[in-house]
Amino acid sequence: MQYDWLNYNHLYYFWVIANEGGIVAAARKLRLAESTLSAQLRYLEESLGHSLFERQHRRLKMTEPGRLVFDYAETIFSAGREMLDVLRHRPGGKRQIVLRLGVLAGLSKNLQLEFLAPFLGREGLRFAVRQGSLPYLVSELANHRLDFFISDIPVETNKSRDVFNRVLGTIPVCVVGAKKFLGLRRKFPDSLQGAPLYLPTLESSVRADFDRFLGESGVKPEIRAELDDIALLRVFVLHGQGMAVLPEIGVRGELQRKTLFVIGRPPGLRETIYAVTPRRMRPHPLVAEILSHFASRYRDSLKALPEEAS
DNA sequence: GACGGTGAGCTTTGTCGATT
DNA sequence: AATCGACAAAGCTCACCGTC
């Protein structure tokens, strides 16, 4: 029988069973008979109209609906624990908010820091930052395990209708190299002819623009490696055997310390940064504040860009 | 490898007490 | 009286282990 209301007692039992890994362990923890938990779990499944566990012989394996319910239960009962903590230990204290942020693997670490730095010291706010591939981040967002993620590649909205790309801004991209390449500055970009270069991979949004720039300039450098990680590109270029195409923010420290130098700035070459949020849900006010803070920093870059990329 | 004993995990059934 | 949540007991299935 399906109901419009939820029996939170049943939900709690399910949550403990999932946490403990089985009915026997959960029964021990709750000091109940195993049969009681088995029956209550069955009632919950019937009321929800979904099996929450797949019975595999003597083991319970969580199903997809089970995972979804577990995520909600986790939020509900974590909030309950938090409420008790606040009431018992911090009278009058404010609730701590945890924002779950995803970052596309390979994105500049400095950029991530710049993104969060203004909010890191804020009372009652904590970040849980996870890196991953684009499909992984989209899946985590769809399953409510992330509040939003940042990426330099937009999600194809015809493939995933549940997400929304917001252009946050653009970051200048340049060719950087060690001191010994400084002589190439004068006749840039012609001086890149035959010069050793490390590039972002073809999947990168910057790569296509840079290839176009080379094509228009008629210059053919010697491409030594293609790397999909900004941090890795930075390490390669620091090794001194070649230059690299990088967002300036990714090597800001090295440029300040003069261990790397800007060899040239291909005109108009910028990396676009997107914030990907769930389409149907209003972002948390704090998320909106963070996004608008970052976007305002790069406001000038935004003027020429569409509101949503597809 | 086949067989049987044992234990573990889960379900079903019947029953009872508290609450509405 | 109906419903809910709890219990005990019995049963089912399977993994593991020792023996032949």
Side-chain angles (χ1 to χ4, degrees), chain A residues 84-217:
Chain A
L84 289 177
D85 282 349
V86 169
L87 288 174
R88 286 172 184 166
H89 306 302
R90 294 190 292 150
K94 283 186 179 169
R95 182 184 170 193
Q96 183 160 64
I97 293 164
V98 180
L99 281 186
R100 301 159 304 170
L101 165 66
V103 177
L104 184 68
L107 218 57
S108 158
K109 309 290 182 268
N110 285 341
L111 175 73
Q112 295 174 38
L113 180 61
E114 180 148 322
F115 192 80
L116 297 181
F119 301 91
L120 285 177
R122 186 175 286 197
E123 196 190 345
L125 175 62
R126 185 154 53 93
F127 289 96
V129 184
R130 268 185 293 165
Q131 282 196 80
S133 66
L134 200 58
Y136 166 77
L137 293 173
V138 170
S139 149
E140 291 295 284
L141 195 67
N143 288 313
H144 313 286
R145 287 190 282 265
L146 283 179
D147 294 304
F148 71 109
F149 69 84
I150 54 173
S151 163
D152 63 346
I153 308 169
V155 177
E156 290 182 42
T157 45
N158 57 341
K159 280 186 185 169
S160 184
R161 294 174 188 282
D162 300 331
V163 302
F164 186 78
N165 298 303
R166 293 158 200 267
V167 177
L168 284 183
T170 63
I171 313 285
V173 175
C174 58
V175 177
V176 296
K179 195 171 187 177
K180 68 176 182 182
F181 293 106
L182 263 175
L184 302 183
R185 248 183 190 174
R186 225 162 64 82
K187 291 193 174 174
F188 185 87
D190 296 343
S191 55
L192 291 183
Q193 182 67 35
L197 203 58
Y198 303 115
L199 291 180
T201 53
L202 291 166
E203 290 76 27
S204 154
S205 61
V206 169
R207 177 61 186 276
D209 292 340
F210 186 72
D211 283 352
R212 198 174 308 116
F213 166 71
L214 288 180
E216 286 166 3
S217 311

Side-chain angles (χ1 to χ4, degrees), chain A residues 244-260:
Chain A
V245 175
L246 275 167
E248 274 190 50
I249 195 172
V251 285
R252 191 167 49 195
E254 285 75 15
L255 295 177
Q256 282 167 358
R257 287 192 294 275
K258 297 193 185 300
T259 48
L260 287 178

